[in-house]
Structures are given as structure tokens and as C-alpha cells.
Amino acid sequence: MDSLRKGGRFRWLRGWRGIALILLGIVIGLLAVAGSVTLLHKTSDTAFCVSCHSMERPMAEYQGSIHYQNHAGIRAECADCHIPGQPLAYLTTKIGAVKDIYGELTGKIATEEQYNAHKLAMAESVWKTLKANDSATCRSCHSYDAMDILAQRPEARKAHPVAIKAGDTCIDCHRGVAHILPDMRERNAAGAGQLATLAAATTAASGTLYAIHTQPLRISGPAWCASAKGRGTTLPIPPSPARCAKMAMLTA
């Protein structure tokens, strides 16, 4: 009896009503998917990315880079560098970008001072992501296989074969290509201190040794003044004319 009642309850879905309901569900589903794709696409274009006040400084840096304007007329947009193309990585990145909305609302980098204070942390976050995904967004345009290494500048001709052999990724060497590098002096000084500590414990029998300090070679004083203003000297540090005159008086 209960089965008959249930069958009667859904009897109206039979025939054209059921087909119409299925078609309506398909249309609603397609509209939802199309709307979601459009929303994701529109929130990934450069105009949207730089519409926030806090993006004025990053935009100015980007506009001064080769990724914005170059002889080939090829422009890498914000999404080309910051949003991977793989579906899962794409969605993960878009969801993670919610934190940027919160930062904009709270004024985290609203001023130049705030921006500079957080710039290193923001840059390192991007570098860490690119290191983890093997510079996926870089490789969407650049490829070792497509490189004509012999046509590159001397520095690149030497560096790229070494990087290929070592399995290095783009971000290992190429930082600050679209934005000015943050102030890293304190971190570099700390690294130099650690290097000096290791060097102090290194003996001459350790094998291949590398210099970590440079010693300037200079000629100054009367010898420099008397040598046709330093011609033929090694890395001369020219004294001022007044100092040359004073030294000439002292040595007369």
C-alpha cells in the first residue's frame, strides 16, 4: 500500500513534466558553471588585480619591467605569473587570494612604509610557491627545450647549461624580474656572517677554496699624483686635486 502511495506521489514526474524538469536542471547547472568560470576569469585579469589602492606600487614596478614592455611586444599579465594553469592549482590559488581581500580591507599595505615593511615576506611567499611547483607559471612561457642558448648573452650561455644539469628551476636565479627586489640587506648580512664563521673553521687542506672577502688594490698618495693621474695603475682611487697639491708640498 505504501509503495502504491509513493508511486502515485511521483506520478506527475512521468512524461513531459519529468523531461522538462531534467532539462531545467541541466540549464541551471550550465548557467552556474558558466557564471563561476566567468567570475574566476574576470577576477584574474590585470585590471581587476590592480584595482585595489594597495596595488599601485606593485603596478608601478611591473610597468617598469621587461615583462610589461619589451622589443617583442609580448606582455605577461598578473595571472600569467601568479596563477598556475593547472585546474587544481588554479582553484587553490584563487581560494588563497581571499587573504588579499582581507589585507585590502584592513589596510595592511595601504602606505609605502607598510608596503616596504611587508614586501620581503610577500616576495618570499611567492618565491616559495614557485620553488614548490617548479616555476610552473614561468614554464608556461619559457622552456629549456625551446631555448637557443648560443644566441643568449654570455652570462646566460654559461648559467643555463649548469642550471639544466643541476635541475634548477627558474626562481632559483630569476628574482625581481617583474617587481623591484625587497630590501634584503639584513638577511644578506646574517648570511655573510654565517659564511665567515664557516670560513674561519676551514683549513687550507680542505680542497677547493673560494674567497669570501675582496682586497682592493689601489695606488694613492704622491705616486698616484705623479703617474699621469693614475694611468697604468691598478684600480686607482684618485685623490682630489687639493690633496695632490698638499702632498706635493709635503714631499717637496
Side-chain angles (χ1 to χ4, degrees):
M1 199 66 180
D2 291 337
S3 298
L4 290 175
R5 290 177 180 174
K6 290 180 179 178
R9 186 183 304 172
F10 296 102
R11 186 178 300 169
W12 67 275
L13 290 175
R14 297 174 183 175
W16 66 268
R17 290 190 181 90
I19 296 174
L21 185 61
I22 293 172
L23 291 176
L24 179 61
I26 293 174
V27 170
I28 293 175
L30 290 175
L31 289 175
V33 171
S36 300
V37 171
T38 302
L39 179 64
L40 291 172
H41 177 72
K42 289 297 183 181
T43 56
S44 297
D45 63 24
T46 299
F48 179 84
C49 293
V50 301
S51 61
C52 296
H53 168 70
S54 59
M55 289 295 105
E56 291 178 357
R57 279 167 284 275
M59 180 61 176
E61 295 177 355
Y62 162 60
Q63 288 177 328
S65 75
I66 196 171
H67 278 73
Y68 182 82
Q69 191 171 30
N70 50 72
H71 71 281
I74 300 172
R75 177 169 297 171
E77 304 290 348
C78 298
D80 294 327
C81 296
H82 290 282
I83 305 179
Q86 297 82 356
L88 183 59
Y90 179 89
L91 290 175
T92 302
T93 302
K94 295 296 291 183
I95 294 172
V98 173
K99 72 179 187 306
D100 298 331
I101 299 176
Y102 176 78
E104 177 68 20
L105 294 175
T106 57
K108 184 176 181 179
I109 54 173
T111 66
E112 184 174 359
E113 291 74 18
Q114 291 173 320
Y115 173 69
N116 290 331
H118 290 92
K119 189 174 183 179
L120 179 57
M122 292 188 294
E124 288 184 329
S125 175
V126 174
W127 298 340
K128 182 179 179 180
T129 299
L130 288 171
K131 179 69 174 178
N133 64 22
D134 194 20
S135 304
T137 52
C138 303
R139 293 179 184 275
S140 65
C141 290
H142 304 279
S143 168
Y144 282 143
D145 295 335
M147 286 182 181
D148 183 359
I149 294 179
L150 295 179
Q152 296 176 346
R153 291 178 297 179
E155 299 86 352
R157 286 203 302 267
K158 294 178 182 178
H160 279 139
V162 175
I164 294 171
K165 184 176 181 180
D168 292 336
T169 190
C170 309
I171 199 61
D172 289 327
C173 300
H174 298 280
R175 298 180 179 182
V177 293
H179 299 285
I180 298 173
L181 284 170
D183 187 351
M184 302 176 68
R185 286 176 294 182
E186 291 186 6
R187 183 150 311 176
N188 291 341
Q194 294 175 358
L195 185 61
T197 301
L198 293 174
T202 302
T203 64
S206 297
T208 304
L209 301 177
Y210 299 92
I212 64 169
H213 294 292
T214 58
Q215 178 63 42
L217 302 176
R218 62 187 67 175
I219 297 176
S220 60
W224 190 93
C225 295
S227 63
K229 292 193 176 180
R231 187 168 56 242
T233 61
T234 304
L235 299 178
I237 305 299
S240 65
R243 185 180 178 190
C244 277
K246 185 175 181 179
M247 286 188 290
M249 293 175 59
L250 294 174
T251 56

